Amino acid sequence: MGVVNVTPDSFSDGGHFFSLDAALSHAEQMIVDGVDIIDIGGESSRPGAQPLSLDEELRRVMPLLYALRDYGKPISVDTCKPEVMHEAIHAGADMINDINGFRAMGALTAVKDADCALCIMHMLNDPQTMQLKPTYGDVVAEVIAFLQDRIEAMEQTGIARNRLCIDPGFGFGKTVEHNLALLKNIGKMQTSLGLPLLAGLSRKSMIGVITGKPAKSRLAGSIAAALFATAQGASILRVHDVAETVDALKVWQVATLHS
Ligand code: 9MG
């Protein structure tokens, strides 16, 4: 899964006019590089990020979704807002990726009658407060319990289980220790919940803490994390650097299958 952010950091003039052409070129390059799913999002989920208005999120995401839907690649829309989910599904989105685990009022209703895939992510609190001293007794058990709860809520609404995938939410209300515990227990989470697992580790601060590198220099660390997650059983990797990750996975897979 390749990330195309339509947030101010990706605005061509530093904050005012987002270039649809630039986002499209970015997505086109990802397709050339071998992406399987394109994840587009308009609201930043960085720690401390301010919430975005509904109008502004629609203004950022919808033109790109309309422009990308004829490229033949599955499109995921990263949103927590039921109204954006509704519009995105209507426009043909193949997946809704909700870092809030479909907890907003109206989120389950917005997705229940569609047939798109749904990614349920764990996040402690919200992006403004999630990194203020995150605390767990047993992070793996608590993330599994949260995801189990959300899966049950979705199934009770009538959502078919085969539409769902789970995500422990690396960096969303977690210390480096919490992230490492989750990374090492991907297999356990997957067997306990019986659903494909999406791992988003690319350029995250945990890689910065381990390597001492700023976000733009975290490629090698991100690839190591992606391969480790794959070896533990992750099914989908959410990444910024598609070409490099695809190459790394090709080598890893050939080596793994070689007799
Ligand atoms: C939007 N977004 C940012 N990081 C993410 C992650 O780790 N997982 C998912 N599902 N979405 C993410």
Short mmCIF file of all heavy atoms in Angstrom, two decimals, residues 59-92:
data_model
loop_
_atom_site.label_atom_id
_atom_site.label_comp_id
_atom_site.label_asym_id
_atom_site.label_seq_id
_atom_site.Cartn_x
_atom_site.Cartn_y
_atom_site.Cartn_z
N ARG A 59 -12.44 18.54 -0.02
CA ARG A 59 -11.80 19.34 -1.08
C ARG A 59 -10.43 18.76 -1.45
O ARG A 59 -10.00 18.82 -2.59
CB ARG A 59 -11.65 20.79 -0.60
CG ARG A 59 -11.39 21.80 -1.70
CD ARG A 59 -11.21 23.20 -1.11
NE ARG A 59 -9.96 23.36 -0.39
CZ ARG A 59 -8.78 23.55 -0.97
NH1 ARG A 59 -8.69 23.60 -2.27
NH2 ARG A 59 -7.70 23.68 -0.23
N ARG A 60 -9.75 18.20 -0.45
CA ARG A 60 -8.42 17.64 -0.72
C ARG A 60 -8.50 16.25 -1.36
O ARG A 60 -7.74 15.92 -2.26
CB ARG A 60 -7.63 17.52 0.59
CG ARG A 60 -7.26 18.86 1.19
CD ARG A 60 -6.44 18.65 2.45
NE ARG A 60 -6.24 19.91 3.16
CZ ARG A 60 -5.54 20.03 4.28
NH1 ARG A 60 -4.99 18.97 4.82
NH2 ARG A 60 -5.40 21.20 4.85
N VAL A 61 -9.42 15.42 -0.82
CA VAL A 61 -9.39 13.99 -1.19
C VAL A 61 -10.18 13.67 -2.47
O VAL A 61 -9.71 12.89 -3.30
CB VAL A 61 -9.95 13.15 0.00
CG1 VAL A 61 -10.21 11.72 -0.39
CG2 VAL A 61 -8.99 13.22 1.18
N MET A 62 -11.36 14.27 -2.60
CA MET A 62 -12.26 13.81 -3.67
C MET A 62 -11.71 14.01 -5.09
O MET A 62 -11.81 13.09 -5.91
CB MET A 62 -13.66 14.43 -3.51
CG MET A 62 -14.39 13.99 -2.27
SD MET A 62 -14.45 12.19 -2.02
CE MET A 62 -15.54 11.73 -3.35
N PRO A 63 -11.11 15.18 -5.41
CA PRO A 63 -10.60 15.32 -6.79
C PRO A 63 -9.55 14.26 -7.12
O PRO A 63 -9.51 13.74 -8.23
CB PRO A 63 -9.99 16.73 -6.80
CG PRO A 63 -10.64 17.45 -5.67
CD PRO A 63 -10.93 16.41 -4.63
N LEU A 64 -8.73 13.93 -6.14
CA LEU A 64 -7.69 12.92 -6.38
C LEU A 64 -8.32 11.53 -6.56
O LEU A 64 -7.91 10.76 -7.43
CB LEU A 64 -6.69 12.92 -5.21
CG LEU A 64 -5.49 12.01 -5.37
CD1 LEU A 64 -4.69 12.34 -6.63
CD2 LEU A 64 -4.58 12.10 -4.14
N LEU A 65 -9.31 11.24 -5.75
CA LEU A 65 -10.00 9.96 -5.88
C LEU A 65 -10.65 9.83 -7.26
O LEU A 65 -10.50 8.81 -7.94
CB LEU A 65 -11.04 9.83 -4.75
CG LEU A 65 -11.96 8.61 -4.78
CD1 LEU A 65 -11.18 7.30 -4.85
CD2 LEU A 65 -12.84 8.59 -3.53
N TYR A 66 -11.34 10.89 -7.70
CA TYR A 66 -11.96 10.86 -9.03
C TYR A 66 -10.90 10.68 -10.12
O TYR A 66 -11.07 9.92 -11.05
CB TYR A 66 -12.77 12.13 -9.29
CG TYR A 66 -14.12 12.12 -8.60
CD1 TYR A 66 -14.43 13.03 -7.60
CD2 TYR A 66 -15.09 11.18 -8.97
CE1 TYR A 66 -15.66 13.01 -6.96
CE2 TYR A 66 -16.33 11.16 -8.34
CZ TYR A 66 -16.60 12.07 -7.33
OH TYR A 66 -17.82 12.03 -6.71
N ALA A 67 -9.77 11.39 -9.95
CA ALA A 67 -8.73 11.32 -10.99
C ALA A 67 -8.06 9.95 -11.02
O ALA A 67 -7.64 9.48 -12.08
CB ALA A 67 -7.70 12.41 -10.74
N LEU A 68 -7.98 9.30 -9.85
CA LEU A 68 -7.22 8.04 -9.79
C LEU A 68 -8.03 6.79 -10.10
O LEU A 68 -7.48 5.73 -10.34
CB LEU A 68 -6.62 7.87 -8.38
CG LEU A 68 -5.29 8.56 -8.11
CD1 LEU A 68 -4.91 8.36 -6.64
CD2 LEU A 68 -4.20 7.98 -9.01
N ARG A 69 -9.35 6.93 -10.09
CA ARG A 69 -10.12 5.69 -10.11
C ARG A 69 -10.09 4.98 -11.46
O ARG A 69 -10.44 3.80 -11.54
CB ARG A 69 -11.55 5.92 -9.64
CG ARG A 69 -12.34 6.83 -10.52
CD ARG A 69 -13.70 7.08 -9.93
NE ARG A 69 -14.42 7.97 -10.81
CZ ARG A 69 -15.66 8.31 -10.67
NH1 ARG A 69 -16.35 7.84 -9.67
NH2 ARG A 69 -16.23 9.13 -11.53
N ASP A 70 -9.63 5.66 -12.51
CA ASP A 70 -9.54 4.97 -13.81
C ASP A 70 -8.18 4.32 -14.05
O ASP A 70 -7.92 3.81 -15.12
CB ASP A 70 -9.84 5.96 -14.95
CG ASP A 70 -11.26 6.48 -14.86
OD1 ASP A 70 -12.13 5.72 -14.37
OD2 ASP A 70 -11.49 7.65 -15.23
N TYR A 71 -7.31 4.35 -13.06
CA TYR A 71 -5.97 3.78 -13.26
C TYR A 71 -5.93 2.27 -13.02
O TYR A 71 -4.89 1.64 -13.21
CB TYR A 71 -4.95 4.47 -12.35
CG TYR A 71 -4.50 5.83 -12.84
CD1 TYR A 71 -5.37 6.91 -12.87
CD2 TYR A 71 -3.21 6.03 -13.29
CE1 TYR A 71 -4.97 8.15 -13.31
CE2 TYR A 71 -2.79 7.28 -13.75
CZ TYR A 71 -3.68 8.34 -13.76
OH TYR A 71 -3.28 9.57 -14.21
N GLY A 72 -7.04 1.71 -12.55
CA GLY A 72 -7.10 0.26 -12.39
C GLY A 72 -6.42 -0.28 -11.14
O GLY A 72 -6.23 -1.48 -11.03
N LYS A 73 -6.04 0.61 -10.24
CA LYS A 73 -5.44 0.13 -8.98
C LYS A 73 -6.42 0.38 -7.85
O LYS A 73 -7.06 1.44 -7.79
CB LYS A 73 -4.16 0.92 -8.66
CG LYS A 73 -2.96 0.48 -9.45
CD LYS A 73 -2.45 -0.86 -8.96
CE LYS A 73 -1.50 -1.46 -9.99
NZ LYS A 73 -1.16 -2.85 -9.71
N PRO A 74 -6.54 -0.58 -6.92
CA PRO A 74 -7.42 -0.35 -5.78
C PRO A 74 -7.03 0.93 -5.02
O PRO A 74 -5.85 1.19 -4.80
CB PRO A 74 -7.19 -1.59 -4.91
CG PRO A 74 -6.71 -2.63 -5.85
CD PRO A 74 -5.93 -1.91 -6.91
N ILE A 75 -8.05 1.70 -4.64
CA ILE A 75 -7.80 2.94 -3.90
C ILE A 75 -8.40 2.84 -2.51
O ILE A 75 -9.57 2.46 -2.34
CB ILE A 75 -8.42 4.15 -4.63
CG1 ILE A 75 -7.83 4.25 -6.04
CG2 ILE A 75 -8.13 5.45 -3.86
CD1 ILE A 75 -8.51 5.27 -6.89
N SER A 76 -7.57 3.18 -1.54
CA SER A 76 -8.01 3.22 -0.15
C SER A 76 -8.11 4.70 0.25
O SER A 76 -7.28 5.51 -0.16
CB SER A 76 -6.95 2.50 0.70
OG SER A 76 -7.02 2.89 2.04
N VAL A 77 -9.12 5.03 1.04
CA VAL A 77 -9.23 6.41 1.53
C VAL A 77 -9.06 6.38 3.05
O VAL A 77 -9.78 5.66 3.76
CB VAL A 77 -10.57 7.06 1.11
CG1 VAL A 77 -10.74 8.43 1.77
CG2 VAL A 77 -10.62 7.20 -0.40
N ASP A 78 -8.06 7.14 3.49
CA ASP A 78 -7.72 7.21 4.90
C ASP A 78 -8.54 8.35 5.52
O ASP A 78 -8.26 9.53 5.26
CB ASP A 78 -6.19 7.43 4.97
CG ASP A 78 -5.71 8.30 6.11
OD1 ASP A 78 -6.37 8.33 7.16
OD2 ASP A 78 -4.65 8.95 5.94
N THR A 79 -9.57 7.99 6.27
CA THR A 79 -10.44 9.01 6.89
C THR A 79 -11.11 8.45 8.14
O THR A 79 -11.33 7.24 8.25
CB THR A 79 -11.52 9.51 5.92
OG1 THR A 79 -12.24 10.59 6.54
CG2 THR A 79 -12.51 8.41 5.51
N CYS A 80 -11.46 9.36 9.05
CA CYS A 80 -12.23 8.98 10.24
C CYS A 80 -13.65 9.51 10.15
O CYS A 80 -14.46 9.25 11.04
CB CYS A 80 -11.61 9.60 11.50
SG CYS A 80 -9.91 9.17 11.76
N LYS A 81 -13.94 10.29 9.10
CA LYS A 81 -15.24 10.99 9.05
C LYS A 81 -16.27 10.20 8.24
O LYS A 81 -16.03 9.91 7.05
CB LYS A 81 -15.06 12.37 8.41
CG LYS A 81 -14.21 13.33 9.22
CD LYS A 81 -14.29 14.73 8.64
CE LYS A 81 -13.44 15.72 9.42
NZ LYS A 81 -12.00 15.51 9.28
N PRO A 82 -17.41 9.89 8.85
CA PRO A 82 -18.45 9.13 8.15
C PRO A 82 -18.86 9.78 6.82
O PRO A 82 -19.10 9.07 5.84
CB PRO A 82 -19.62 9.14 9.14
CG PRO A 82 -19.00 9.37 10.47
CD PRO A 82 -17.77 10.18 10.25
N GLU A 83 -18.93 11.11 6.78
CA GLU A 83 -19.36 11.79 5.54
C GLU A 83 -18.34 11.57 4.43
O GLU A 83 -18.71 11.39 3.27
CB GLU A 83 -19.52 13.30 5.78
CG GLU A 83 -20.57 13.68 6.81
CD GLU A 83 -20.03 13.69 8.25
OE1 GLU A 83 -18.90 13.18 8.48
OE2 GLU A 83 -20.73 14.20 9.13
N VAL A 84 -17.06 11.58 4.79
CA VAL A 84 -16.02 11.34 3.77
C VAL A 84 -16.08 9.88 3.34
O VAL A 84 -15.96 9.56 2.15
CB VAL A 84 -14.61 11.71 4.31
CG1 VAL A 84 -13.54 11.42 3.27
CG2 VAL A 84 -14.57 13.17 4.73
N MET A 85 -16.31 8.97 4.29
CA MET A 85 -16.45 7.54 3.95
C MET A 85 -17.57 7.38 2.93
O MET A 85 -17.42 6.70 1.90
CB MET A 85 -16.77 6.70 5.20
CG MET A 85 -15.66 6.70 6.22
SD MET A 85 -16.17 5.81 7.72
CE MET A 85 -14.79 6.21 8.80
N HIS A 86 -18.70 8.00 3.22
CA HIS A 86 -19.87 7.89 2.36
C HIS A 86 -19.56 8.39 0.94
O HIS A 86 -19.82 7.70 -0.04
CB HIS A 86 -21.02 8.69 2.99
CG HIS A 86 -22.27 8.67 2.19
ND1 HIS A 86 -23.17 7.63 2.26
CD2 HIS A 86 -22.75 9.54 1.28
CE1 HIS A 86 -24.16 7.88 1.42
NE2 HIS A 86 -23.93 9.02 0.81
N GLU A 87 -18.97 9.58 0.86
CA GLU A 87 -18.65 10.17 -0.46
C GLU A 87 -17.61 9.32 -1.19
O GLU A 87 -17.70 9.11 -2.40
CB GLU A 87 -18.08 11.59 -0.28
CG GLU A 87 -19.08 12.61 0.21
CD GLU A 87 -20.22 12.86 -0.76
OE1 GLU A 87 -19.96 12.96 -1.96
OE2 GLU A 87 -21.37 12.93 -0.29
N ALA A 88 -16.62 8.84 -0.45
CA ALA A 88 -15.55 8.05 -1.08
C ALA A 88 -16.10 6.74 -1.62
O ALA A 88 -15.74 6.31 -2.74
CB ALA A 88 -14.44 7.80 -0.06
N ILE A 89 -16.98 6.11 -0.86
CA ILE A 89 -17.56 4.84 -1.32
C ILE A 89 -18.40 5.10 -2.57
O ILE A 89 -18.33 4.36 -3.56
CB ILE A 89 -18.40 4.19 -0.18
CG1 ILE A 89 -17.46 3.66 0.89
CG2 ILE A 89 -19.30 3.09 -0.72
CD1 ILE A 89 -18.13 3.25 2.19
N HIS A 90 -19.17 6.16 -2.54
CA HIS A 90 -20.00 6.53 -3.69
C HIS A 90 -19.14 6.76 -4.93
O HIS A 90 -19.53 6.45 -6.05
CB HIS A 90 -20.79 7.79 -3.33
CG HIS A 90 -21.84 8.13 -4.32
ND1 HIS A 90 -22.95 7.35 -4.52
CD2 HIS A 90 -21.93 9.16 -5.19
CE1 HIS A 90 -23.69 7.88 -5.47
NE2 HIS A 90 -23.08 8.99 -5.91
N ALA A 91 -17.94 7.30 -4.71
CA ALA A 91 -17.04 7.60 -5.83
C ALA A 91 -16.20 6.38 -6.24
O ALA A 91 -15.37 6.48 -7.14
CB ALA A 91 -16.12 8.76 -5.45
N GLY A 92 -16.39 5.25 -5.56
CA GLY A 92 -15.72 4.02 -6.00
C GLY A 92 -14.51 3.60 -5.20
O GLY A 92 -13.74 2.75 -5.67
#
